[in-house]
């Protein structure tokens, strides 16, 4: 484990958990990389032991935030929904640290910057917060939904800010019906790497894969707020997390020796997110995987590589994992921390066949996310046997790993006969909000008990 820091950057540490021993002919090497950042103000990922969310220190990074509020016609059904969205946005504005640049965008089939307007950002203080909340009172519902236009406007506004942290918060209550799916995809591709974005679906008339897809592409969080009255608390928490971010655009850099092939790179805590396809080349045999912005938090990543065959007693460096902070001026990036993944060939059967507990745990958590998705898709398509098998396996995995939150969500969709064997029956009637909550939160993981 190594640490590097500058005074204005949180301290990062990297720990590698793995069983480095391979049998003769063994080629697959797995490592869990725990990255911890200390020195931020609030917890943006998994809270550090004993860390209490607080107002960030005065030295926290400059930030710009754009809040995108769905103002399509469906926000009037029921009328309380629009009111709750206005209240939630007001609560988020109250949580802004003074000096933060911000704007509010109303989203329909077109996007409009309703505060401060004219393609600008306001700087948060008592006066601008009051003006922004006044502008919110004039928001009404009407029109369609074209989320790509909201994101592109947010990108233009955030791109004009000379700040370290650029973040969006997006609220929608419906499906993206007024633009083609490829238009939304193109907007996400254009915005990726330029700002991070948390996405929330309110009510039950929106598309889970759309909202989670937005958050995933823009390295943010996704969640459901089934009851609109819960929006203000959720928006406040989201904004507190944004205000605690201190460093943006951190990349996980993987360097591998000749002959080593990368099978996958995944974030596995606090949520499962496959980063394999997001690699950008970073010099000979090195590639960068984006991790977004960091505050006071810890995250886990699973790296799996295939090494060339070697004889008993030989050992090699299978991969070097570094945390890289790019230089905004285009100079040499800063290495924040690094760790090593090793391979050692042995004829000791006990050593080479034992699975590292961290690797085993997160392999199970990744499978849990996958079988929930497959089970819900099977249920929707009428394949009830397939759904029962997959959701039964999900119950078994959630129970074995101690993922109580996911186990609770599963119990609203299936009747659990025996959790240990994964024996379940599909419930005849399931509330739409319960099914959507399980799907939206299926990627949330629990950490391995150390």
């Amino acid at each position: 484990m190594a640490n590097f820091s500058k005074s204005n950057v949180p301290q990062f540490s990297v720990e590698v958990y793995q069983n480095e021993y391979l049998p003769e002919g063994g080629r697959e090497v797995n490592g869990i990389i725990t990255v911890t950042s200390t020195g931020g103000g609030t917890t943006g990922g998994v809270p550090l032991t004993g860390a209490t969310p607080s107002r960030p220190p005065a030295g926290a990074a400059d930030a710009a935030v754009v809040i995108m509020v769905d103002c399509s016609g469906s926000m009037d059904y029921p009328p309380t929904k629009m009111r709750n969205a206005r209240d939630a946005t007001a609560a988020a504005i109250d949580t802004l640290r003074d000096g933060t640049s911000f704007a509010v965008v109303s989203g329909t089939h077109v996007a409009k910057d309703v505060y401060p307007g004219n393609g600008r950002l306001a700087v948060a203080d008592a006066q601008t917060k009051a003006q922004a909340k006044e502008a919110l009172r004039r928001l009404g519902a009407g029109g369609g939904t074209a989320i790509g236009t909201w994101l592109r406007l947010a990108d233009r506004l955030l791109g004009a800010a000379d700040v370290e942290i650029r973040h969006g918060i997006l609220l929608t209550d419906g499906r993206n019906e007024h633009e083609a799916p490829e238009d939304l995809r193109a907007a996400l591709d254009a915005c990726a790497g330029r700002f991070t974005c948390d996405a929330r679906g309110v009510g039950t008339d929106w598309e889970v894969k759309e909202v989670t897809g937005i958050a995933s592409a823009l390295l943010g969080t996704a969640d459901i707020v089934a009851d609109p009255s819960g929006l203000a608390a959720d928006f406040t928490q989201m904004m507190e997390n944004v205000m605690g971010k201190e460093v943006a655009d951190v990349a996980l850099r993987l360097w591998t020796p000749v002959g080593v092939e990368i099978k996958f790179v995944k974030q596995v805590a606090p949520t499962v997110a496959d980063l394999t396809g997001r690699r950008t080349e970073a010099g000979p045999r090195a590639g960068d995987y984006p991790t977004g912005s960091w505050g006071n938090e810890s995250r886990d990543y699973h790296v799996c590589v295939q090494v060339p065959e070697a004889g008993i007693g030989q050992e090699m460096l299978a991969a070097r994992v570094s945390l890289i902070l790019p230089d905004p001026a285009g100079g040499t990036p800063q290495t924040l921390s690094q760790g090593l993944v090793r391979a050692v060939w042995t004829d000791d059967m006990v050593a080479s066949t034992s699975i590292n507990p961290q690797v085993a745990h997160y392999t199970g958590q990744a499978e849990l996310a996958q079988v929930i998705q497959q089970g819900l898709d099977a249920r929707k398509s009428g394949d009830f046997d397939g759904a029962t098998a997959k959701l039964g396996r999900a119950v078994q995995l959630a129970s074995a790993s101690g993922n109580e939150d996911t186990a609770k969500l599963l119990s609203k969709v299936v009747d659990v006969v025996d959790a240990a064997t994964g024996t379940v029956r599909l419930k005849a009637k399931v509330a739409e909000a319960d099914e959507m909550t399980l799907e939206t939160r299926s990627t949330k993981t629990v950490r391995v008990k150390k």
Side-chain angles (χ1 to χ4, degrees), residues 63-66 68 101 121 153-163 165-168 194-196:
V65 185
V66 173
M68 294 160 267
S101 302
L121 293 165
L153 176 54
D155 183 35
R156 284 199 298 278
L157 292 165
L158 291 167
D162 181 20
V163 293
I165 308 287
R166 293 180 180 83
H167 193 82
R194 291 175 56 78
F195 66 95
T196 50

Side-chain angles (χ1 to χ4, degrees), residues 1 13-18 32-36 46-49 268-269 297-301 356-359 361-362 401 446-450:
M1 182 179 88
S13 66
V14 168
E15 291 169 279
V16 178
Y17 298 92
Q18 68 161 136
I32 298 298
I33 319 296
T34 294
V35 178
T36 304
V46 180
L48 298 174
T49 314
V268 287
E297 59 192 292
S298 181
R299 305 180 202 168
D300 293 335
Y301 298 89
N356 175 274
Q358 247 91 352
V359 172
H361 173 83
Y362 284 125
S401 65
V446 287
R447 303 200 85 165
V448 65
K449 290 182 175 68
K450 298 273 166 70

Side-chain angles (χ1 to χ4, degrees), residues 8-24:
N8 61 340
V9 171
Q11 282 213 302
F12 282 81
S13 66
V14 168
E15 291 169 279
V16 178
Y17 298 92
Q18 68 161 136
N19 173 16
E20 61 262 42
Y21 294 105
L22 296 177
E24 189 167 13

Side-chain angles (χ1 to χ4, degrees), residues 143-155:
T145 307
I147 294 173
T149 64
W150 314 356
L151 292 166
R152 286 183 187 276
L153 176 54
D155 183 35

Side-chain angles (χ1 to χ4, degrees), residues 308-325:
E309 285 187 39
I312 298 299
Q314 289 193 276
E315 57 179 272
M316 73 174 287
L317 174 62
R320 184 169 61 235
V321 183
S322 310
L323 280 178
I324 300 293
L325 185 61

Side-chain angles (χ1 to χ4, degrees), residues 406-431:
T406 300
K408 261 186 217 135
L409 296 175
L410 280 160
S411 70
K412 294 184 175 178
V413 178
V414 294
D415 291 315
V416 179
V417 180
D418 182 355
T421 60
T423 309
V424 302
R425 282 190 300 268
L426 291 187
K427 286 188 187 287
K429 285 188 77 172
V430 176

Side-chain angles (χ1 to χ4, degrees), residues 188-258:
L188 288 170
D189 288 346
C191 296
R194 291 175 56 78
F195 66 95
T196 50
C197 184
D198 294 322
R200 295 291 183 269
V202 60
T204 55
D205 293 330
W206 49 280
E207 192 63 55
V208 172
K209 286 180 175 64
E210 256 170 24
V211 169
T212 54
I214 290 164
S216 167
L218 302 179
L219 301 174
T221 63
D223 207 354
I224 178 173
V225 186
D227 181 350
S229 65
L231 274 175
D234 186 72
F235 266 46
T236 301
Q237 179 65 55
M238 258 193 297
M239 193 62 89
E240 278 178 355
N241 284 344
V242 179
M243 292 294 97
K245 299 295 184 187
E246 286 206 313
V247 57
D249 302 327
V250 176
L252 198 67
R253 178 168 294 178
L254 208 59
W255 178 89
T256 47
V258 172

